[in-house]
Amino acid sequence: MKELVRELGDVVSTDAAVLEEHSRDTSRAEPGGLPAAVVRVHSATEVQTVLRWATTHRVPVSVRGAGTGVSGGALAYPGGLVVSLAAMNQVLEIDAPNRIAEVDPGIIVDQLDQAAAAHELMYAPDPVSYQTATIGGTVDTNAGGLRCLAHGVTRDVIAGLEVVLADGRLIRTGSRTRKNSTGYDLTGLFIGSEGTLGVVTRVIARLKPRPVGEAVTFSAQFPTMAAAGAAVATIMASATTPEMLELMDRNSIDIVQRHFPSAVAAEGEALLVGQTIGTDAQQQAEAVVSACRDAGALLAEAGGGEELLDTRRMVNPALNAAGLALSCDVAVPPSRLAEMFERIDDISVQTGYPVNTCAHAGDGNMHPSVLAANDSAEEVAAAEHVLTLITEAALDMGGVISGEHRIGSLKTGMLAQQFDPDTLDLQHQLKGFFDPVGILSPGRAI
């Protein structure tokens, strides 16, 4: 450690408070102990020094942005290093003619979007934590968000990366061109790799023109989540693609109301909310409302306020405020949402645990959660069992065990249920090729 301090100086911290602050993310995962040091890097050169040192001394490294991840991917390793990229937080360039942004990995997603807005452009992906999450973290997890229905997830807007490999080499992937058919898609390989293949030190992101026209919010109340799921399937089979299409069950809305009171109330068991944007936004919203009415909505209207969408964004904070919330992140084909919600109801009845569900409904990505009565090992295990049953139900429907939050340290046990042995083995081989010593987030993601 003295050797590392000699090379990097005071960017290396062994202060107990700093170690504790950087040891965990916002997930329920608990670190096994404190790291030996936190290295708050300011440049790719410093990252190279850190990883060379870690490889030489066989020290495990976890990579951290803002720590907003919910799957335990940024947890410290006992006696390991935490590499914090939060200080690398500049917008390096907004190239408006080419609709490209080049940024440090520690820039907050909302800050990047606001920088693009000054040029009438937008950075489209918007995770719920967009005001605190870093772009590097969203690249590492291939984050989604509310706007991703219309604009795609993080993978769809990243043009290139600068990455430091485990042995300290620095590589650049992708390009700033609109088209690129050269070589393997290394950019895509690093996106969503959760820091297991390299450390992202620069991001080249594609921007889009900011939508022109009004924004119209719509909502629909349904007697059941299954009925709302059927309405979503109808909407997604139509010619209209809303900017956002979100779904909350009554349990989720009630929890938000208890902790963050608003004027939003659930008349039925499910609330579908969304937004259309553009010169024909009102017409699109009315088409969605009509589809909801045809699908049996108790109430459907266009023209609601932003408060509806704010309520959706407050579900996770409300669950955290309510107690020990255990959640999962599964995705199914949108056409099977209704069936999936019926399975969740059956699982809730079978286990005796109420399930709170919200969803990025248009892309079939849902976040069921269970509130554990206490933090005893037995109670947590029982709540985890409910989520396991829900995840297995998603797999039965051709779904996946994570739609946007990735695997981290919490979900590795279920990878073998989604991947066949050869496919999973190939991923382990890729990990071994890029990180032969195994210092980068060992035991996570795959």
Side-chain angles (χ1 to χ4, degrees):
M1 188 60 65
K2 290 179 181 178
E3 174 188 321
L4 186 63
V5 172
R6 279 198 304 271
E7 291 195 61
L8 293 176
D10 60 8
V11 301
V12 182
S13 176
T14 57
D15 179 79
V18 174
L19 300 184
E20 176 63 34
E21 177 190 354
H22 290 78
S23 66
R24 62 186 69 237
D25 55 18
T26 59
S27 74
R28 63 184 181 276
E30 289 290 331
L34 293 179
V38 172
V39 188
R40 292 177 282 199
V41 295
H42 295 79
S43 69
T45 301
E46 290 180 347
V47 176
Q48 290 179 281
T49 299
V50 172
L51 295 194
R52 288 192 192 106
W53 180 91
T55 292
T56 298
H57 297 286
R58 306 298 197 265
V59 177
V61 174
S62 57
V63 186
R64 179 185 174 89
T68 60
V70 295
S71 58
L75 261 63
Y77 293 93
L81 291 183
V82 174
V83 176
S84 170
L85 300 163
M88 295 177 64
N89 57 7
Q90 299 300 307
V91 175
L92 303 172
E93 181 185 5
I94 300 291
D95 178 359
N98 291 309
R99 298 179 184 172
I100 286 287
E102 191 161 340
V103 299
D104 283 337
I107 191 75
I108 301 300
V109 172
D110 187 44
Q111 293 173 343
L112 169 55
D113 188 40
Q114 292 305 313
H119 300 268
E120 299 183 347
L121 298 169
M122 68 186 292
Y123 177 75
D126 63 332
V128 171
S129 57
Y130 72 103
Q131 293 179 316
T132 53
T134 63
I135 187 69
T138 61
V139 168
D140 272 351
T141 56
N142 189 30
L146 276 65
R147 280 197 307 222
C148 292
L149 174 61
H151 300 287
V153 296
T154 302
R155 182 183 303 280
D156 299 311
V157 300
I158 301 302
L161 300 169
E162 178 185 86
V163 183
V164 178
L165 302 181
D167 61 8
R169 286 179 295 165
L170 186 144
I171 67 168
R172 295 177 179 84
T173 74
S175 72
R176 294 168 65 109
T177 60
R178 300 304 296 176
K179 292 182 177 180
N180 179 8
S181 294
T182 311
Y184 293 123
D185 181 14
L186 294 178
T187 304
L189 184 61
F190 284 106
I191 296 170
S193 65
E194 302 187 62
T196 61
L197 303 181
V199 177
V200 173
T201 53
R202 186 167 295 192
V203 178
I204 300 172
R206 294 189 179 94
L207 306 175
K208 289 184 133 185
R210 224 162 181 85
V212 176
E214 65 177 331
V216 178
T217 303
F218 58 83
S219 64
Q221 307 264 6
F222 291 89
T224 65
M225 287 288 280
V232 170
T234 299
I235 294 166
M236 296 311 299
S238 73
T240 300
T241 300
E243 185 87 354
M244 305 176 191
L245 189 61
E246 300 290 311
L247 183 59
M248 296 169 281
D249 66 6
R250 175 184 280 275
N251 290 342
S252 298
I253 296 170
D254 288 346
I255 288 173
V256 172
Q257 291 288 44
R258 284 202 298 272
H259 296 277
F260 305 99
S262 71
V264 177
E267 301 294 332
E269 293 301 314
L271 173 63
L272 187 68
V273 300
Q275 193 172 75
T276 54
I277 298 180
T279 54
D280 60 346
Q282 186 65 42
Q283 179 183 345
Q284 290 186 63
E286 292 292 350
V288 172
V289 166
S290 178
C292 290
R293 289 172 180 153
D294 291 344
L298 302 173
L299 174 68
E301 59 185 358
E306 290 284 337
E307 194 171 35
L308 288 165
L309 296 172
D310 290 341
T311 298
R312 168 62 185 91
R313 292 189 185 276
M314 294 310 297
V315 171
N316 284 345
L319 285 168
N320 291 334
L324 181 59
L326 289 80
S327 64
C328 64
D329 159 44
V330 296
V332 299
S335 63
R336 304 197 71 174
L337 272 176
E339 184 182 354
M340 184 63 193
F341 290 135
E342 289 175 346
R343 289 285 294 275
I344 291 174
D345 286 343
D346 290 343
I347 290 168
S348 179
V349 171
Q350 169 193 336
T351 60
Y353 278 83
V355 178
N356 314 284
T357 304
C358 61
H360 305 302
D363 49 28
N365 184 197
M366 63 193 72
H367 304 299
S369 62
V370 177
L371 285 171
N374 54 62
D375 61 358
S376 68
E378 295 78 12
E379 180 65 19
V380 170
E384 289 277 13
H385 177 63
V386 177
L387 299 180
T388 297
L389 293 175
I390 291 172
T391 304
E392 289 173 346
L395 290 171
D396 289 345
M397 295 180 199
V400 294
I401 65 175
S402 176
E404 62 181 4
H405 292 164
R406 303 302 292 179
I407 305 303
S409 60
L410 289 176
K411 304 177 189 175
T412 53
M414 298 201 73
L415 284 166
Q417 292 181 250
Q418 181 170 328
F419 296 120
D420 63 74
D422 288 340
T423 301
L424 190 54
D425 180 61
L426 179 60
Q427 295 188 60
H428 288 144
Q429 290 182 52
L430 282 169
K431 164 66 172 170
F433 177 80
F434 280 92
D435 181 20
V437 177
I439 64 161
L440 294 174
S441 297
R444 296 176 187 167
I446 59 164

